[in-house]
Amino acid sequence: MKRHEFLKSIGFKGGALMALLSSCTKDTDSILNTVASGTATTGTTTGTTTGTTTGSGTTTGTTTGTGTTTGTGTATGNGTDLSKITNRLLTITLASYANSLGKVGGYIQLSGIVVAQPTAGVYVAATQTCSHEPKKKVIYYSALNAYYCTEHGAQFDLTGKGKNSFGSGGLTVYKTATDGVTLVIYS
């Protein structure tokens, strides 16, 4: 029996259950996300990027790289300087997750964030915590090309918009940037 199931069986629910779960979590727990929530907008554009795109969407510089743009004002590809990204939530060495993130449709769950590669070279990221009930059950479901909560079936598109009644609260999505070796998830 899992911790949340036990606590429910002895009568804890709602805020009391959340308080107990959040007071004793580890990075490896799969029930409660303690990453701060908010709303971000994610878009996808594929092509050649010239320069460095800043968070406001302004392109400056002369670095040229071919790659993919994912997120709001996030340039990804060979010319991306990941060291200038602030508000990092997660930094991933892609080679470490080649069996999952190295293929289209693959995903990982790490530090309360689900990271997926829905199309070649494009990475998306969202919180694992469902807005329907605050459980860390959100995965990337490649057959739907959407985020899916395994607890009650809430579905969210890649921008975090709910696709059914359980997903009506939306999902927090994050920006991504990669240089082909490292992937950075940030807010």
mmCIF file with all atom_site columns, all heavy atoms in Angstrom, residues 23-44:
data_model
loop_
_atom_site.group_PDB
_atom_site.id
_atom_site.type_symbol
_atom_site.label_atom_id
_atom_site.label_alt_id
_atom_site.label_comp_id
_atom_site.label_asym_id
_atom_site.label_entity_id
_atom_site.label_seq_id
_atom_site.pdbx_PDB_ins_code
_atom_site.Cartn_x
_atom_site.Cartn_y
_atom_site.Cartn_z
_atom_site.occupancy
_atom_site.B_iso_or_equiv
_atom_site.pdbx_formal_charge
_atom_site.auth_seq_id
_atom_site.auth_comp_id
_atom_site.auth_asym_id
_atom_site.auth_atom_id
_atom_site.pdbx_PDB_model_num
ATOM 1   N N   . SER A 1 23 ? 4.780  17.274 3.607   1.00 0.00 ? 23 SER A N   1
ATOM 2   C CA  . SER A 1 23 ? 5.731  17.394 4.708   1.00 0.00 ? 23 SER A CA  1
ATOM 3   C C   . SER A 1 23 ? 6.763  16.276 4.716   1.00 0.00 ? 23 SER A C   1
ATOM 4   O O   . SER A 1 23 ? 7.748  16.362 5.422   1.00 0.00 ? 23 SER A O   1
ATOM 5   C CB  . SER A 1 23 ? 4.979  17.408 6.044   1.00 0.00 ? 23 SER A CB  1
ATOM 6   O OG  . SER A 1 23 ? 4.394  16.142 6.294   1.00 0.00 ? 23 SER A OG  1
ATOM 7   N N   . CYS A 1 24 ? 6.521  15.246 3.919   1.00 0.00 ? 24 CYS A N   1
ATOM 8   C CA  . CYS A 1 24 ? 7.443  14.105 3.951   1.00 0.00 ? 24 CYS A CA  1
ATOM 9   C C   . CYS A 1 24 ? 7.694  13.574 2.545   1.00 0.00 ? 24 CYS A C   1
ATOM 10  O O   . CYS A 1 24 ? 7.504  12.399 2.280   1.00 0.00 ? 24 CYS A O   1
ATOM 11  C CB  . CYS A 1 24 ? 6.896  13.011 4.856   1.00 0.00 ? 24 CYS A CB  1
ATOM 12  S SG  . CYS A 1 24 ? 5.211  12.499 4.485   1.00 0.00 ? 24 CYS A SG  1
ATOM 13  N N   . THR A 1 25 ? 8.109  14.457 1.646   1.00 0.00 ? 25 THR A N   1
ATOM 14  C CA  . THR A 1 25 ? 8.374  14.024 0.274   1.00 0.00 ? 25 THR A CA  1
ATOM 15  C C   . THR A 1 25 ? 9.858  13.959 -0.001  1.00 0.00 ? 25 THR A C   1
ATOM 16  O O   . THR A 1 25 ? 10.661 14.607 0.665   1.00 0.00 ? 25 THR A O   1
ATOM 17  C CB  . THR A 1 25 ? 7.727  14.965 -0.753  1.00 0.00 ? 25 THR A CB  1
ATOM 18  O OG1 . THR A 1 25 ? 8.273  16.270 -0.569  1.00 0.00 ? 25 THR A OG1 1
ATOM 19  C CG2 . THR A 1 25 ? 6.230  14.993 -0.617  1.00 0.00 ? 25 THR A CG2 1
ATOM 20  N N   . LYS A 1 26 ? 10.182 13.178 -0.996  1.00 0.00 ? 26 LYS A N   1
ATOM 21  C CA  . LYS A 1 26 ? 11.543 13.073 -1.509  1.00 0.00 ? 26 LYS A CA  1
ATOM 22  C C   . LYS A 1 26 ? 11.475 13.309 -3.007  1.00 0.00 ? 26 LYS A C   1
ATOM 23  O O   . LYS A 1 26 ? 10.406 13.213 -3.604  1.00 0.00 ? 26 LYS A O   1
ATOM 24  C CB  . LYS A 1 26 ? 12.110 11.670 -1.247  1.00 0.00 ? 26 LYS A CB  1
ATOM 25  C CG  . LYS A 1 26 ? 12.170 11.295 0.212   1.00 0.00 ? 26 LYS A CG  1
ATOM 26  C CD  . LYS A 1 26 ? 12.649 9.872  0.352   1.00 0.00 ? 26 LYS A CD  1
ATOM 27  C CE  . LYS A 1 26 ? 12.542 9.433  1.793   1.00 0.00 ? 26 LYS A CE  1
ATOM 28  N NZ  . LYS A 1 26 ? 12.701 8.000  1.938   1.00 0.00 ? 26 LYS A NZ  1
ATOM 29  N N   . ASP A 1 27 ? 12.599 13.563 -3.653  1.00 0.00 ? 27 ASP A N   1
ATOM 30  C CA  . ASP A 1 27 ? 12.627 13.735 -5.105  1.00 0.00 ? 27 ASP A CA  1
ATOM 31  C C   . ASP A 1 27 ? 12.090 12.513 -5.833  1.00 0.00 ? 27 ASP A C   1
ATOM 32  O O   . ASP A 1 27 ? 11.572 12.614 -6.935  1.00 0.00 ? 27 ASP A O   1
ATOM 33  C CB  . ASP A 1 27 ? 14.049 14.028 -5.607  1.00 0.00 ? 27 ASP A CB  1
ATOM 34  C CG  . ASP A 1 27 ? 14.493 15.428 -5.262  1.00 0.00 ? 27 ASP A CG  1
ATOM 35  O OD1 . ASP A 1 27 ? 13.628 16.283 -4.973  1.00 0.00 ? 27 ASP A OD1 1
ATOM 36  O OD2 . ASP A 1 27 ? 15.712 15.665 -5.286  1.00 0.00 ? 27 ASP A OD2 1
ATOM 37  N N   . THR A 1 28 ? 12.196 11.345 -5.213  1.00 0.00 ? 28 THR A N   1
ATOM 38  C CA  . THR A 1 28 ? 11.765 10.119 -5.866  1.00 0.00 ? 28 THR A CA  1
ATOM 39  C C   . THR A 1 28 ? 10.284 9.814  -5.670  1.00 0.00 ? 28 THR A C   1
ATOM 40  O O   . THR A 1 28 ? 9.762  8.880  -6.249  1.00 0.00 ? 28 THR A O   1
ATOM 41  C CB  . THR A 1 28 ? 12.584 8.925  -5.331  1.00 0.00 ? 28 THR A CB  1
ATOM 42  O OG1 . THR A 1 28 ? 12.406 8.853  -3.911  1.00 0.00 ? 28 THR A OG1 1
ATOM 43  C CG2 . THR A 1 28 ? 14.047 9.074  -5.694  1.00 0.00 ? 28 THR A CG2 1
ATOM 44  N N   . ASP A 1 29 ? 9.585  10.585 -4.822  1.00 0.00 ? 29 ASP A N   1
ATOM 45  C CA  . ASP A 1 29 ? 8.164  10.344 -4.600  1.00 0.00 ? 29 ASP A CA  1
ATOM 46  C C   . ASP A 1 29 ? 7.381  10.577 -5.876  1.00 0.00 ? 29 ASP A C   1
ATOM 47  O O   . ASP A 1 29 ? 7.716  11.415 -6.696  1.00 0.00 ? 29 ASP A O   1
ATOM 48  C CB  . ASP A 1 29 ? 7.611  11.267 -3.507  1.00 0.00 ? 29 ASP A CB  1
ATOM 49  C CG  . ASP A 1 29 ? 8.057  10.837 -2.118  1.00 0.00 ? 29 ASP A CG  1
ATOM 50  O OD1 . ASP A 1 29 ? 8.546  9.705  -1.985  1.00 0.00 ? 29 ASP A OD1 1
ATOM 51  O OD2 . ASP A 1 29 ? 7.915  11.641 -1.181  1.00 0.00 ? 29 ASP A OD2 1
ATOM 52  N N   . SER A 1 30 ? 6.311  9.816  -6.044  1.00 0.00 ? 30 SER A N   1
ATOM 53  C CA  . SER A 1 30 ? 5.529  9.921  -7.272  1.00 0.00 ? 30 SER A CA  1
ATOM 54  C C   . SER A 1 30 ? 4.098  10.376 -7.015  1.00 0.00 ? 30 SER A C   1
ATOM 55  O O   . SER A 1 30 ? 3.232  10.164 -7.832  1.00 0.00 ? 30 SER A O   1
ATOM 56  C CB  . SER A 1 30 ? 5.511  8.576  -7.990  1.00 0.00 ? 30 SER A CB  1
ATOM 57  O OG  . SER A 1 30 ? 4.877  7.622  -7.166  1.00 0.00 ? 30 SER A OG  1
ATOM 58  N N   . ILE A 1 31 ? 3.827  11.015 -5.903  1.00 0.00 ? 31 ILE A N   1
ATOM 59  C CA  . ILE A 1 31 ? 2.464  11.412 -5.588  1.00 0.00 ? 31 ILE A CA  1
ATOM 60  C C   . ILE A 1 31 ? 2.296  12.923 -5.589  1.00 0.00 ? 31 ILE A C   1
ATOM 61  O O   . ILE A 1 31 ? 1.360  13.453 -6.143  1.00 0.00 ? 31 ILE A O   1
ATOM 62  C CB  . ILE A 1 31 ? 2.020  10.857 -4.209  1.00 0.00 ? 31 ILE A CB  1
ATOM 63  C CG1 . ILE A 1 31 ? 2.180  9.348  -4.178  1.00 0.00 ? 31 ILE A CG1 1
ATOM 64  C CG2 . ILE A 1 31 ? 0.598  11.264 -3.882  1.00 0.00 ? 31 ILE A CG2 1
ATOM 65  C CD1 . ILE A 1 31 ? 1.415  8.620  -5.262  1.00 0.00 ? 31 ILE A CD1 1
ATOM 66  N N   . LEU A 1 32 ? 3.199  13.650 -5.009  1.00 0.00 ? 32 LEU A N   1
ATOM 67  C CA  . LEU A 1 32 ? 3.006  15.077 -4.817  1.00 0.00 ? 32 LEU A CA  1
ATOM 68  C C   . LEU A 1 32 ? 4.143  15.870 -5.437  1.00 0.00 ? 32 LEU A C   1
ATOM 69  O O   . LEU A 1 32 ? 5.299  15.581 -5.191  1.00 0.00 ? 32 LEU A O   1
ATOM 70  C CB  . LEU A 1 32 ? 2.933  15.384 -3.315  1.00 0.00 ? 32 LEU A CB  1
ATOM 71  C CG  . LEU A 1 32 ? 2.805  16.835 -2.934  1.00 0.00 ? 32 LEU A CG  1
ATOM 72  C CD1 . LEU A 1 32 ? 1.426  17.346 -3.344  1.00 0.00 ? 32 LEU A CD1 1
ATOM 73  C CD2 . LEU A 1 32 ? 3.007  17.007 -1.458  1.00 0.00 ? 32 LEU A CD2 1
ATOM 74  N N   . ASN A 1 33 ? 3.817  16.859 -6.233  1.00 0.00 ? 33 ASN A N   1
ATOM 75  C CA  . ASN A 1 33 ? 4.826  17.727 -6.830  1.00 0.00 ? 33 ASN A CA  1
ATOM 76  C C   . ASN A 1 33 ? 4.993  18.940 -5.941  1.00 0.00 ? 33 ASN A C   1
ATOM 77  O O   . ASN A 1 33 ? 4.023  19.590 -5.586  1.00 0.00 ? 33 ASN A O   1
ATOM 78  C CB  . ASN A 1 33 ? 4.377  18.160 -8.227  1.00 0.00 ? 33 ASN A CB  1
ATOM 79  C CG  . ASN A 1 33 ? 5.376  19.086 -8.863  1.00 0.00 ? 33 ASN A CG  1
ATOM 80  O OD1 . ASN A 1 33 ? 6.496  19.217 -8.390  1.00 0.00 ? 33 ASN A OD1 1
ATOM 81  N ND2 . ASN A 1 33 ? 4.968  19.718 -9.931  1.00 0.00 ? 33 ASN A ND2 1
ATOM 82  N N   . THR A 1 34 ? 6.220  19.261 -5.575  1.00 0.00 ? 34 THR A N   1
ATOM 83  C CA  . THR A 1 34 ? 6.452  20.435 -4.762  1.00 0.00 ? 34 THR A CA  1
ATOM 84  C C   . THR A 1 34 ? 7.080  21.563 -5.569  1.00 0.00 ? 34 THR A C   1
ATOM 85  O O   . THR A 1 34 ? 7.503  22.558 -5.017  1.00 0.00 ? 34 THR A O   1
ATOM 86  C CB  . THR A 1 34 ? 7.371  20.100 -3.568  1.00 0.00 ? 34 THR A CB  1
ATOM 87  O OG1 . THR A 1 34 ? 8.581  19.541 -4.069  1.00 0.00 ? 34 THR A OG1 1
ATOM 88  C CG2 . THR A 1 34 ? 6.691  19.127 -2.626  1.00 0.00 ? 34 THR A CG2 1
ATOM 89  N N   . VAL A 1 35 ? 7.122  21.419 -6.912  1.00 0.00 ? 35 VAL A N   1
ATOM 90  C CA  . VAL A 1 35 ? 7.619  22.479 -7.779  1.00 0.00 ? 35 VAL A CA  1
ATOM 91  C C   . VAL A 1 35 ? 6.564  23.565 -7.852  1.00 0.00 ? 35 VAL A C   1
ATOM 92  O O   . VAL A 1 35 ? 5.383  23.281 -7.986  1.00 0.00 ? 35 VAL A O   1
ATOM 93  C CB  . VAL A 1 35 ? 7.922  21.934 -9.193  1.00 0.00 ? 35 VAL A CB  1
ATOM 94  C CG1 . VAL A 1 35 ? 8.320  23.049 -10.139 1.00 0.00 ? 35 VAL A CG1 1
ATOM 95  C CG2 . VAL A 1 35 ? 9.014  20.902 -9.112  1.00 0.00 ? 35 VAL A CG2 1
ATOM 96  N N   . ALA A 1 36 ? 6.968  24.816 -7.774  1.00 0.00 ? 36 ALA A N   1
ATOM 97  C CA  . ALA A 1 36 ? 6.022  25.926 -7.828  1.00 0.00 ? 36 ALA A CA  1
ATOM 98  C C   . ALA A 1 36 ? 5.243  25.892 -9.129  1.00 0.00 ? 36 ALA A C   1
ATOM 99  O O   . ALA A 1 36 ? 5.752  25.533 -10.169 1.00 0.00 ? 36 ALA A O   1
ATOM 100 C CB  . ALA A 1 36 ? 6.773  27.248 -7.714  1.00 0.00 ? 36 ALA A CB  1
ATOM 101 N N   . SER A 1 37 ? 3.964  26.277 -9.042  1.00 0.00 ? 37 SER A N   1
ATOM 102 C CA  . SER A 1 37 ? 3.139  26.238 -10.243 1.00 0.00 ? 37 SER A CA  1
ATOM 103 C C   . SER A 1 37 ? 2.904  27.639 -10.780 1.00 0.00 ? 37 SER A C   1
ATOM 104 O O   . SER A 1 37 ? 3.082  28.627 -10.097 1.00 0.00 ? 37 SER A O   1
ATOM 105 C CB  . SER A 1 37 ? 1.802  25.567 -9.945  1.00 0.00 ? 37 SER A CB  1
ATOM 106 O OG  . SER A 1 37 ? 1.093  26.319 -8.997  1.00 0.00 ? 37 SER A OG  1
ATOM 107 N N   . GLY A 1 38 ? 2.461  27.700 -12.001 1.00 0.00 ? 38 GLY A N   1
ATOM 108 C CA  . GLY A 1 38 ? 2.169  28.940 -12.694 1.00 0.00 ? 38 GLY A CA  1
ATOM 109 C C   . GLY A 1 38 ? 1.731  28.568 -14.089 1.00 0.00 ? 38 GLY A C   1
ATOM 110 O O   . GLY A 1 38 ? 1.527  27.405 -14.379 1.00 0.00 ? 38 GLY A O   1
ATOM 111 N N   . THR A 1 39 ? 1.561  29.534 -14.956 1.00 0.00 ? 39 THR A N   1
ATOM 112 C CA  . THR A 1 39 ? 1.137  29.231 -16.308 1.00 0.00 ? 39 THR A CA  1
ATOM 113 C C   . THR A 1 39 ? 2.174  29.746 -17.277 1.00 0.00 ? 39 THR A C   1
ATOM 114 O O   . THR A 1 39 ? 2.609  30.883 -17.179 1.00 0.00 ? 39 THR A O   1
ATOM 115 C CB  . THR A 1 39 ? -0.219 29.884 -16.611 1.00 0.00 ? 39 THR A CB  1
ATOM 116 O OG1 . THR A 1 39 ? -1.161 29.378 -15.663 1.00 0.00 ? 39 THR A OG1 1
ATOM 117 C CG2 . THR A 1 39 ? -0.690 29.543 -17.997 1.00 0.00 ? 39 THR A CG2 1
ATOM 118 N N   . ALA A 1 40 ? 2.575  28.907 -18.198 1.00 0.00 ? 40 ALA A N   1
ATOM 119 C CA  . ALA A 1 40 ? 3.510  29.296 -19.239 1.00 0.00 ? 40 ALA A CA  1
ATOM 120 C C   . ALA A 1 40 ? 2.899  28.917 -20.577 1.00 0.00 ? 40 ALA A C   1
ATOM 121 O O   . ALA A 1 40 ? 2.039  28.062 -20.644 1.00 0.00 ? 40 ALA A O   1
ATOM 122 C CB  . ALA A 1 40 ? 4.850  28.584 -19.054 1.00 0.00 ? 40 ALA A CB  1
ATOM 123 N N   . THR A 1 41 ? 3.314  29.582 -21.612 1.00 0.00 ? 41 THR A N   1
ATOM 124 C CA  . THR A 1 41 ? 2.810  29.287 -22.939 1.00 0.00 ? 41 THR A CA  1
ATOM 125 C C   . THR A 1 41 ? 3.926  28.651 -23.741 1.00 0.00 ? 41 THR A C   1
ATOM 126 O O   . THR A 1 41 ? 5.052  29.126 -23.709 1.00 0.00 ? 41 THR A O   1
ATOM 127 C CB  . THR A 1 41 ? 2.355  30.585 -23.635 1.00 0.00 ? 41 THR A CB  1
ATOM 128 O OG1 . THR A 1 41 ? 1.397  31.215 -22.796 1.00 0.00 ? 41 THR A OG1 1
ATOM 129 C CG2 . THR A 1 41 ? 1.750  30.298 -24.972 1.00 0.00 ? 41 THR A CG2 1
ATOM 130 N N   . THR A 1 42 ? 3.615  27.590 -24.460 1.00 0.00 ? 42 THR A N   1
ATOM 131 C CA  . THR A 1 42 ? 4.616  26.904 -25.258 1.00 0.00 ? 42 THR A CA  1
ATOM 132 C C   . THR A 1 42 ? 4.144  26.833 -26.693 1.00 0.00 ? 42 THR A C   1
ATOM 133 O O   . THR A 1 42 ? 2.995  26.527 -26.958 1.00 0.00 ? 42 THR A O   1
ATOM 134 C CB  . THR A 1 42 ? 4.849  25.474 -24.732 1.00 0.00 ? 42 THR A CB  1
ATOM 135 O OG1 . THR A 1 42 ? 5.270  25.562 -23.378 1.00 0.00 ? 42 THR A OG1 1
ATOM 136 C CG2 . THR A 1 42 ? 5.889  24.751 -25.550 1.00 0.00 ? 42 THR A CG2 1
ATOM 137 N N   . GLY A 1 43 ? 5.040  27.116 -27.614 1.00 0.00 ? 43 GLY A N   1
ATOM 138 C CA  . GLY A 1 43 ? 4.755  26.993 -29.036 1.00 0.00 ? 43 GLY A CA  1
ATOM 139 C C   . GLY A 1 43 ? 5.897  26.233 -29.678 1.00 0.00 ? 43 GLY A C   1
ATOM 140 O O   . GLY A 1 43 ? 6.943  26.064 -29.076 1.00 0.00 ? 43 GLY A O   1
ATOM 141 N N   . THR A 1 44 ? 5.719  25.783 -30.892 1.00 0.00 ? 44 THR A N   1
ATOM 142 C CA  . THR A 1 44 ? 6.766  25.027 -31.564 1.00 0.00 ? 44 THR A CA  1
ATOM 143 C C   . THR A 1 44 ? 6.968  25.554 -32.974 1.00 0.00 ? 44 THR A C   1
ATOM 144 O O   . THR A 1 44 ? 6.017  25.705 -33.718 1.00 0.00 ? 44 THR A O   1
ATOM 145 C CB  . THR A 1 44 ? 6.392  23.545 -31.635 1.00 0.00 ? 44 THR A CB  1
ATOM 146 O OG1 . THR A 1 44 ? 6.168  23.080 -30.304 1.00 0.00 ? 44 THR A OG1 1
ATOM 147 C CG2 . THR A 1 44 ? 7.487  22.734 -32.287 1.00 0.00 ? 44 THR A CG2 1
#
